[in-house]
């Protein structure tokens, strides 16, 4: 399977840092939405890489 691009890796790292900050400041709803966004983005990029690799 293809590896994630460096840009995408940095984006995911930045989003996870923001997630940790939101958890630390007790912004629960924003934390949940960001967690959903990160997991969805990870799943979509993984699926896209898998589809592109199989073609």
């Amino acid at each position: 399977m293809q590896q994630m691009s460096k840009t995408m890796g940095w984006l995911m790292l930045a989003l996870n840092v923001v997630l940790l900050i939101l958890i630390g400041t007790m912004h629960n709803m924003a934390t949940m939405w960001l967690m959903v966004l990160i997991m969805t983005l990870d799943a979509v990029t993984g699926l896209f890489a898998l589809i592109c690799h199989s073609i």
Side-chain angles (χ1 to χ4, degrees):
M1 190 163 78
Q2 282 182 333
Q3 289 185 353
M4 194 181 320
S5 70
K6 286 183 183 179
T7 305
M8 194 62 166
W10 281 108
L11 175 65
M12 295 295 270
L13 178 64
L15 288 174
N16 279 297
V17 168
V18 171
L19 182 67
L20 287 173
I21 292 168
L22 289 173
I23 289 170
T25 58
M26 298 300 212
H27 288 90
N28 295 331
M29 200 60 187
T31 301
M32 293 302 287
W33 278 106
L34 186 57
M35 193 179 306
V36 167
L37 176 70
I38 291 170
M39 290 188 302
T40 304
L41 192 58
D42 185 41
V44 168
T45 55
L47 183 61
F48 182 73
L50 184 64
I51 290 171
C52 288
H53 182 69
S54 66
I55 292 178

